[in-house]
Amino acid sequence: MSSPPRYIRFFDELSLDDIALVGGKNASLGEMHRELSPQGIPIPNGFATTAEAYWDVLDRAGGRAALRDILDDLRPDDVADLARRGQKARDLIYGAGLPEDLSRQIRSAYGRLVDQYGADLSVAVRSSATAEDLPTASFAGQQDTYLNVRGETMLLDSVRRCLASLFTDRAIHYRHDRDFDHLKVALSVGVMKMVRSDIGTSGVTFTLDTETGFRDIVLITASYGLGENIVQGIVDPDELVVHKPTFDLGHRAVLRRTLGTKKLKMIYATGRTREPVRNIPTSKEERDRFSVSDQEALRLAEYAIRIERHYSQKAGRSMPMDIEWAKDGIDGELYILQARPETVASRAASTTLRRYRLVEKGEVKASGRAVGDTIASGAVQLIRDADELSGFTPGSILVSDTTAPDWEPVMKTAAAVVTNRGGRTCHAAIVARELGIPAVVGTTDATERLVNGDPITVSCAEGETGRVYAGTLRHEVDETDLSNLERPRTKIMINLGNPEIAFKTSFVPNDGVGLARMEFIIGEYIKVHPMALVHLDRVEDPAARAEIASLTHRYASPEDFFIERLSEGVGTIAAAFWPKPVIVRLSDFKTNEYAHLIGGRSFEPDEANPMIGFRGAARYAHPAYAEGFALECRAMKRVREEMGLVNVKLMIPFCRRVAEGKAVLDEMAKHGLVRGEHDLEVYVMCEIPNNVIQIDEFAALFDGFSIGSNDLTQLHLGVDRDSATVAFNFDERDPGVLEMFRLAVDGAKRNRRHSGICGQAPSDYPEVAEFLVKQGIDSISLTPDSVLKTTMRIVDLEKKLTSAE
């Protein structure tokens, strides 16, 4: 008498070589349990049913022929027809029951887990298709998962339901779109110990940026309770980012963080209920703090980096990963629940640069997290209930509270997706990313603010914030083949202030950042006058005091708020371009601009001409601002020393006199920023005629010069660039201005100092860029939209200059 088939494999018996046996998800769990658990990465134990078990269940019901009949002539885009056929297929498999040998082996394996973890054990029952998580397609989320499963009876029923879920509507549609034969894909059921994240936290970690494909970061999303809320887009999670290269060098710091709303958490159900889990509201205190600590985020980053490295070594190529994790609220441990190759952002073509941009603007109707970097227009179609999906008009923009896996066939026909809830790892985001359509998620109120049938434009091309505009707005798409783009001898750098577009902009061919504007970060992400944070008692406006208190209440002190926000903004730009140089200009607001910051009017004088007033270097050691400058210095010290981003160079703006330059360097040194220590280089803006006239003296203090063409033109020609009346006289191409540029470049070369230009002139006027190249300038820093065309012109010019020699 032959022995029954062996339907069960424990995780320690499996590896990546067993995808055909137990599917991608379970094979990956086995690989990690065998190879990475011994290295200290905690992975709950469990077991998997084999593909053979699935086929035996199917054959008991004569299922292969029956399924062929059910799916013959399938019309997947007919939602009603797909639903009918899917239900028949699921009923067929569920109704077949489980062979006695399979039931007995599942009960025995479950008993082993009970022996290991105790009688109070609950398990998660997850699907794993045998074609799952291939490099060209991810079946993740297509089948069903059952959580908090307790006891043999509930387990066996969940296994049957899981097997039947191979034929969910979404899974049928997915396989049809990718030409997978429905009867050549089997399903393995994974059974693993539930981590008590219902009283802890959970999330998803990616080892790249999901929107741009930037590979030097780990992106961690986190929320309270079980992780299904993040995956399904029910909550807007926290996001924390860690920079991999500096982490590998031993620096342990979170690069940037975004606080999610986290309005709900999924917990175990109690009492008499058919559902084993339920959602409850989070408290205000929970919503108001991050659901993971920095130390926990860094530990998750370490696990993610090691997992990515292991899978990349196995594959023989870089393998960005998509990793689910959970924190057990009882033992406090962080567990890895799943890891699979990321299959969308990592496959984006790197030789073609495609940039979308709006040609016109309109009224912003809603905003949230941007998914992707494209733009689409269409009519609003509100979907408040799954029953409305059958009436969806292809080409419309799907607007809903959230989306569910069964919506995918309809989402495929949408021009864009907008949801009230969710973060960038939610279901709507994942599907939109895979389909290549823009999505704005986590808007909170889009379903209330958008009217059915109205034309709108969804833009995800403006950074991390996605915007929904009223009307059909014109946009353009630029495509550039980078594979044969030549690089000039002159360094081509980028002017950048917005951290939200840093990762995306880093793909533009460049030699680093020639001007990172601190003002943008202060104005957009801090919003408060630095001195108001140091001396809140001197802020006269009660509304301003209340707003400052609201912005800073999560921090140990208002000063810490400024330091963290500024360092994370600058750090994000520096990380995006690592290890290329990033020249950060210290704050250069004018007094009227400072006054518009929250609390600013209590600290700024009213000047007739702020352009040549109390600005730049004059402020830094002055009693009226020295304490604010100290915060800037502490933030930059954190970027360079704690974050390890030593590619940051600092630059002093509007330095009128040599003595003023010395005073600023002394002030910086008092706060730990000593020129020459830790390879710190300090540049100075060359934007005042005195900088050019005394360039030899300034060169003794600073490591390089960056010509500020706007201010140098203003001061050389005596034209207030804020005055529209005399704007006709403002021209960087004036022979006198060009002569100042020439003298600056010559002076820098004479003193063996770096010479660059970061003003607007080279971006606006190709002839200015060409003039500077002829003078032998070291670098030209341009706005991102002018980099490619200016680079090609300079390559041609350098060839002509070489041939003329």
Short mmCIF file of all heavy atoms in Angstrom, two decimals, residues 591-637:
data_model
loop_
_atom_site.label_atom_id
_atom_site.label_comp_id
_atom_site.label_asym_id
_atom_site.label_seq_id
_atom_site.Cartn_x
_atom_site.Cartn_y
_atom_site.Cartn_z
N THR A 591 14.08 91.07 4.38
CA THR A 591 13.30 91.35 5.59
C THR A 591 11.79 91.26 5.33
O THR A 591 11.04 90.78 6.19
CB THR A 591 13.64 92.74 6.16
OG1 THR A 591 13.56 93.70 5.11
CG2 THR A 591 15.03 92.75 6.76
N ASN A 592 11.34 91.70 4.16
CA ASN A 592 9.91 91.61 3.87
C ASN A 592 9.47 90.16 3.74
O ASN A 592 8.34 89.80 4.06
CB ASN A 592 9.56 92.41 2.61
CG ASN A 592 10.35 91.96 1.39
OD1 ASN A 592 11.49 91.54 1.50
ND2 ASN A 592 9.73 92.06 0.22
N GLU A 593 10.38 89.28 3.25
CA GLU A 593 10.05 87.87 3.13
C GLU A 593 10.09 87.18 4.50
O GLU A 593 9.22 86.36 4.82
CB GLU A 593 11.05 87.19 2.17
CG GLU A 593 10.93 87.71 0.75
CD GLU A 593 12.10 87.29 -0.13
OE1 GLU A 593 13.18 86.97 0.41
OE2 GLU A 593 11.93 87.28 -1.36
N TYR A 594 11.07 87.51 5.31
CA TYR A 594 11.11 86.98 6.68
C TYR A 594 9.87 87.38 7.45
O TYR A 594 9.33 86.61 8.24
CB TYR A 594 12.34 87.52 7.41
CG TYR A 594 13.56 86.65 7.35
CD1 TYR A 594 14.74 87.13 6.78
CD2 TYR A 594 13.56 85.37 7.90
CE1 TYR A 594 15.88 86.34 6.73
CE2 TYR A 594 14.70 84.59 7.86
CZ TYR A 594 15.85 85.07 7.27
OH TYR A 594 16.98 84.29 7.23
N ALA A 595 9.41 88.62 7.22
CA ALA A 595 8.26 89.13 7.97
C ALA A 595 6.99 88.33 7.68
O ALA A 595 6.09 88.25 8.52
CB ALA A 595 8.02 90.61 7.66
N HIS A 596 6.94 87.71 6.51
CA HIS A 596 5.74 86.93 6.15
C HIS A 596 5.75 85.53 6.75
O HIS A 596 4.74 84.84 6.69
CB HIS A 596 5.62 86.85 4.62
CG HIS A 596 5.06 88.09 4.01
ND1 HIS A 596 5.84 89.09 3.49
CD2 HIS A 596 3.78 88.52 3.86
CE1 HIS A 596 5.08 90.06 3.04
NE2 HIS A 596 3.81 89.75 3.25
N LEU A 597 6.86 85.11 7.33
CA LEU A 597 6.85 83.84 8.05
C LEU A 597 6.04 84.02 9.33
O LEU A 597 5.90 85.13 9.86
CB LEU A 597 8.28 83.42 8.39
CG LEU A 597 9.19 83.08 7.19
CD1 LEU A 597 10.62 82.85 7.68
CD2 LEU A 597 8.68 81.87 6.44
N ILE A 598 5.53 82.93 9.86
CA ILE A 598 4.71 82.99 11.07
C ILE A 598 5.54 83.60 12.20
O ILE A 598 6.64 83.14 12.51
CB ILE A 598 4.20 81.60 11.47
CG1 ILE A 598 3.35 81.00 10.36
CG2 ILE A 598 3.41 81.67 12.78
CD1 ILE A 598 3.02 79.53 10.54
N GLY A 599 5.01 84.64 12.82
CA GLY A 599 5.71 85.31 13.91
C GLY A 599 6.77 86.28 13.46
O GLY A 599 7.42 86.94 14.28
N GLY A 600 6.96 86.40 12.13
CA GLY A 600 8.08 87.19 11.62
C GLY A 600 7.97 88.68 11.84
O GLY A 600 8.98 89.37 12.00
N ARG A 601 6.76 89.20 11.89
CA ARG A 601 6.61 90.66 12.00
C ARG A 601 7.12 91.19 13.33
O ARG A 601 7.41 92.38 13.46
CB ARG A 601 5.14 91.05 11.80
CG ARG A 601 4.63 90.69 10.41
CD ARG A 601 3.34 91.40 10.05
NE ARG A 601 2.89 90.99 8.72
CZ ARG A 601 3.36 91.48 7.59
NH1 ARG A 601 4.30 92.40 7.63
NH2 ARG A 601 2.89 91.07 6.43
N SER A 602 7.25 90.33 14.31
CA SER A 602 7.77 90.78 15.61
C SER A 602 9.28 90.92 15.62
O SER A 602 9.85 91.44 16.59
CB SER A 602 7.35 89.78 16.70
OG SER A 602 5.95 89.70 16.82
N PHE A 603 9.94 90.48 14.54
CA PHE A 603 11.41 90.46 14.55
C PHE A 603 12.06 91.18 13.37
O PHE A 603 13.27 91.33 13.35
CB PHE A 603 11.91 89.00 14.55
CG PHE A 603 11.46 88.22 15.74
CD1 PHE A 603 10.30 87.47 15.70
CD2 PHE A 603 12.18 88.27 16.94
CE1 PHE A 603 9.87 86.75 16.81
CE2 PHE A 603 11.76 87.56 18.05
CZ PHE A 603 10.60 86.80 17.99
N GLU A 604 11.27 91.64 12.41
CA GLU A 604 11.86 92.23 11.22
C GLU A 604 11.60 93.73 11.13
O GLU A 604 10.48 94.18 11.37
CB GLU A 604 11.30 91.54 9.97
CG GLU A 604 11.68 90.08 9.85
CD GLU A 604 13.18 89.86 9.77
OE1 GLU A 604 13.90 90.72 9.21
OE2 GLU A 604 13.66 88.82 10.28
N PRO A 605 12.62 94.51 10.74
CA PRO A 605 12.42 95.95 10.53
C PRO A 605 11.67 96.19 9.23
O PRO A 605 11.62 95.33 8.34
CB PRO A 605 13.86 96.48 10.43
CG PRO A 605 14.65 95.33 9.91
CD PRO A 605 14.02 94.10 10.51
N ASP A 606 11.06 97.33 9.12
CA ASP A 606 10.36 97.71 7.90
C ASP A 606 11.34 98.52 7.04
O ASP A 606 11.66 99.65 7.35
CB ASP A 606 9.13 98.55 8.24
CG ASP A 606 8.28 98.87 7.02
OD1 ASP A 606 8.55 98.24 5.97
OD2 ASP A 606 7.39 99.73 7.11
N GLU A 607 11.83 97.92 5.95
CA GLU A 607 12.86 98.55 5.13
C GLU A 607 12.26 99.07 3.83
O GLU A 607 11.39 98.44 3.23
CB GLU A 607 13.97 97.55 4.79
CG GLU A 607 14.77 97.09 6.00
CD GLU A 607 15.93 96.20 5.60
OE1 GLU A 607 15.70 95.19 4.92
OE2 GLU A 607 17.08 96.54 5.96
N ALA A 608 12.78 100.21 3.38
CA ALA A 608 12.32 100.79 2.12
C ALA A 608 12.79 99.96 0.93
O ALA A 608 12.08 99.84 -0.07
CB ALA A 608 12.81 102.23 1.99
N ASN A 609 14.00 99.42 1.02
CA ASN A 609 14.54 98.62 -0.09
C ASN A 609 15.19 97.35 0.45
O ASN A 609 16.42 97.29 0.63
CB ASN A 609 15.55 99.43 -0.90
CG ASN A 609 15.90 98.74 -2.22
OD1 ASN A 609 15.64 97.54 -2.38
ND2 ASN A 609 16.47 99.48 -3.14
N PRO A 610 14.40 96.32 0.74
CA PRO A 610 14.94 95.09 1.33
C PRO A 610 16.00 94.41 0.48
O PRO A 610 16.84 93.67 1.00
CB PRO A 610 13.70 94.20 1.48
CG PRO A 610 12.54 95.13 1.45
CD PRO A 610 12.94 96.25 0.56
N MET A 611 15.99 94.65 -0.85
CA MET A 611 16.95 94.00 -1.73
C MET A 611 18.40 94.32 -1.33
O MET A 611 19.29 93.50 -1.51
CB MET A 611 16.72 94.43 -3.18
CG MET A 611 15.73 93.56 -3.91
SD MET A 611 16.39 91.92 -4.22
CE MET A 611 15.03 91.21 -5.12
N ILE A 612 18.62 95.51 -0.81
CA ILE A 612 19.98 95.86 -0.39
C ILE A 612 20.00 96.20 1.11
O ILE A 612 20.81 97.01 1.57
CB ILE A 612 20.54 97.03 -1.23
CG1 ILE A 612 19.61 98.24 -1.21
CG2 ILE A 612 20.81 96.57 -2.66
CD1 ILE A 612 20.20 99.47 -1.89
N GLY A 613 19.12 95.52 1.84
CA GLY A 613 19.00 95.80 3.26
C GLY A 613 19.61 94.70 4.13
O GLY A 613 20.67 94.14 3.82
N PHE A 614 18.87 94.36 5.19
CA PHE A 614 19.35 93.43 6.21
C PHE A 614 19.14 91.99 5.72
O PHE A 614 18.15 91.35 6.07
CB PHE A 614 18.59 93.70 7.51
CG PHE A 614 19.11 92.96 8.72
CD1 PHE A 614 20.46 92.85 8.96
CD2 PHE A 614 18.22 92.40 9.63
CE1 PHE A 614 20.93 92.19 10.09
CE2 PHE A 614 18.67 91.73 10.75
CZ PHE A 614 20.04 91.63 10.98
N ARG A 615 20.10 91.51 4.94
CA ARG A 615 19.97 90.20 4.34
C ARG A 615 21.32 89.50 4.30
O ARG A 615 22.38 90.11 4.47
CB ARG A 615 19.39 90.29 2.92
CG ARG A 615 20.24 91.09 1.96
CD ARG A 615 19.71 91.06 0.53
NE ARG A 615 19.96 89.78 -0.13
CZ ARG A 615 19.97 89.62 -1.45
NH1 ARG A 615 19.74 90.67 -2.26
NH2 ARG A 615 20.20 88.44 -1.98
N GLY A 616 21.27 88.17 4.07
CA GLY A 616 22.49 87.39 3.87
C GLY A 616 23.43 87.42 5.05
O GLY A 616 23.02 87.38 6.22
N ALA A 617 24.73 87.52 4.75
CA ALA A 617 25.77 87.41 5.77
C ALA A 617 25.64 88.45 6.87
O ALA A 617 26.02 88.19 8.02
CB ALA A 617 27.15 87.53 5.11
N ALA A 618 25.08 89.59 6.55
CA ALA A 618 24.96 90.66 7.55
C ALA A 618 24.13 90.21 8.75
O ALA A 618 24.31 90.71 9.87
CB ALA A 618 24.34 91.91 6.93
N ARG A 619 23.23 89.28 8.58
CA ARG A 619 22.34 88.84 9.65
C ARG A 619 22.99 87.85 10.60
O ARG A 619 22.63 87.77 11.78
CB ARG A 619 21.09 88.18 9.06
CG ARG A 619 20.26 89.04 8.15
CD ARG A 619 19.07 88.26 7.61
NE ARG A 619 18.11 87.94 8.64
CZ ARG A 619 17.03 88.66 8.92
NH1 ARG A 619 16.77 89.75 8.22
NH2 ARG A 619 16.20 88.30 9.87
N TYR A 620 23.92 87.04 10.08
CA TYR A 620 24.29 85.82 10.78
C TYR A 620 24.95 86.04 12.13
O TYR A 620 24.72 85.27 13.08
CB TYR A 620 25.20 84.97 9.89
CG TYR A 620 24.54 84.53 8.60
CD1 TYR A 620 25.30 84.18 7.49
CD2 TYR A 620 23.15 84.47 8.47
CE1 TYR A 620 24.71 83.77 6.30
CE2 TYR A 620 22.55 84.07 7.28
CZ TYR A 620 23.34 83.72 6.20
OH TYR A 620 22.76 83.32 5.03
N ALA A 621 25.79 87.06 12.24
CA ALA A 621 26.43 87.34 13.53
C ALA A 621 25.78 88.52 14.24
O ALA A 621 26.23 88.93 15.32
CB ALA A 621 27.93 87.62 13.31
N HIS A 622 24.73 89.06 13.66
CA HIS A 622 24.06 90.24 14.23
C HIS A 622 23.16 89.80 15.38
O HIS A 622 22.47 88.78 15.30
CB HIS A 622 23.23 90.91 13.14
CG HIS A 622 22.77 92.29 13.49
ND1 HIS A 622 21.74 92.53 14.38
CD2 HIS A 622 23.20 93.52 13.08
CE1 HIS A 622 21.55 93.83 14.49
NE2 HIS A 622 22.43 94.45 13.71
N PRO A 623 23.14 90.57 16.46
CA PRO A 623 22.31 90.19 17.62
C PRO A 623 20.84 89.97 17.28
O PRO A 623 20.15 89.18 17.93
CB PRO A 623 22.48 91.40 18.57
CG PRO A 623 23.78 92.00 18.18
CD PRO A 623 23.93 91.79 16.72
N ALA A 624 20.35 90.62 16.23
CA ALA A 624 18.94 90.49 15.88
C ALA A 624 18.61 89.12 15.27
O ALA A 624 17.44 88.74 15.21
CB ALA A 624 18.53 91.59 14.90
N TYR A 625 19.66 88.39 14.80
CA TYR A 625 19.36 87.11 14.15
C TYR A 625 20.33 85.99 14.53
O TYR A 625 20.12 84.84 14.17
CB TYR A 625 19.37 87.27 12.62
CG TYR A 625 18.87 86.02 11.91
CD1 TYR A 625 17.51 85.69 11.92
CD2 TYR A 625 19.76 85.16 11.26
CE1 TYR A 625 17.05 84.54 11.29
CE2 TYR A 625 19.31 84.01 10.62
CZ TYR A 625 17.95 83.69 10.65
OH TYR A 625 17.50 82.56 10.04
N ALA A 626 21.36 86.27 15.29
CA ALA A 626 22.40 85.27 15.58
C ALA A 626 21.81 83.98 16.14
O ALA A 626 22.27 82.88 15.81
CB ALA A 626 23.43 85.85 16.54
N GLU A 627 20.78 84.07 16.98
CA GLU A 627 20.20 82.85 17.55
C GLU A 627 19.45 82.04 16.49
O GLU A 627 19.41 80.81 16.54
CB GLU A 627 19.25 83.22 18.69
CG GLU A 627 19.98 83.76 19.92
CD GLU A 627 19.01 84.38 20.91
OE1 GLU A 627 18.39 85.40 20.55
OE2 GLU A 627 18.88 83.84 22.03
N GLY A 628 18.87 82.74 15.51
CA GLY A 628 18.24 82.03 14.39
C GLY A 628 19.29 81.35 13.52
O GLY A 628 19.10 80.22 13.07
N PHE A 629 20.41 82.04 13.29
CA PHE A 629 21.48 81.45 12.49
C PHE A 629 22.07 80.23 13.18
O PHE A 629 22.46 79.26 12.54
CB PHE A 629 22.58 82.49 12.23
CG PHE A 629 23.69 81.99 11.36
CD1 PHE A 629 23.44 81.61 10.06
CD2 PHE A 629 24.98 81.91 11.85
CE1 PHE A 629 24.48 81.14 9.24
CE2 PHE A 629 26.02 81.45 11.05
CZ PHE A 629 25.77 81.06 9.74
N ALA A 630 22.09 80.27 14.51
CA ALA A 630 22.60 79.11 15.25
C ALA A 630 21.76 77.87 14.95
O ALA A 630 22.31 76.75 14.84
CB ALA A 630 22.58 79.41 16.76
N LEU A 631 20.45 78.03 14.77
CA LEU A 631 19.59 76.90 14.42
C LEU A 631 19.94 76.36 13.04
O LEU A 631 19.96 75.14 12.82
CB LEU A 631 18.12 77.30 14.47
CG LEU A 631 17.57 77.77 15.82
CD1 LEU A 631 16.07 78.05 15.71
CD2 LEU A 631 17.83 76.73 16.91
N GLU A 632 20.20 77.26 12.09
CA GLU A 632 20.61 76.82 10.76
C GLU A 632 21.90 76.00 10.84
O GLU A 632 22.02 74.94 10.20
CB GLU A 632 20.83 78.02 9.84
CG GLU A 632 19.58 78.83 9.53
CD GLU A 632 19.86 79.96 8.56
OE1 GLU A 632 20.76 79.80 7.70
OE2 GLU A 632 19.19 81.02 8.65
N CYS A 633 22.84 76.47 11.63
CA CYS A 633 24.13 75.77 11.76
C CYS A 633 23.94 74.40 12.41
O CYS A 633 24.54 73.41 11.97
CB CYS A 633 25.10 76.61 12.59
SG CYS A 633 25.67 78.11 11.77
N ARG A 634 23.11 74.34 13.44
CA ARG A 634 22.88 73.05 14.10
C ARG A 634 22.22 72.06 13.15
O ARG A 634 22.53 70.86 13.15
CB ARG A 634 22.03 73.26 15.35
CG ARG A 634 22.78 73.94 16.50
CD ARG A 634 21.85 74.37 17.62
NE ARG A 634 21.15 73.23 18.22
CZ ARG A 634 20.16 73.35 19.12
NH1 ARG A 634 19.76 74.57 19.49
NH2 ARG A 634 19.59 72.29 19.62
N ALA A 635 21.33 72.56 12.30
CA ALA A 635 20.69 71.68 11.32
C ALA A 635 21.71 71.17 10.30
O ALA A 635 21.71 69.99 9.94
CB ALA A 635 19.55 72.43 10.61
N MET A 636 22.59 72.05 9.83
CA MET A 636 23.59 71.62 8.84
C MET A 636 24.63 70.69 9.46
O MET A 636 25.12 69.76 8.80
CB MET A 636 24.27 72.84 8.22
CG MET A 636 23.34 73.71 7.38
SD MET A 636 22.47 72.80 6.07
CE MET A 636 20.90 72.44 6.86
N LYS A 637 24.92 70.89 10.71
CA LYS A 637 25.83 69.97 11.40
C LYS A 637 25.19 68.59 11.51
O LYS A 637 25.86 67.56 11.33
CB LYS A 637 26.16 70.53 12.79
CG LYS A 637 27.15 69.68 13.61
CD LYS A 637 27.44 70.36 14.94
CE LYS A 637 28.26 69.46 15.86
NZ LYS A 637 29.61 69.21 15.34
#
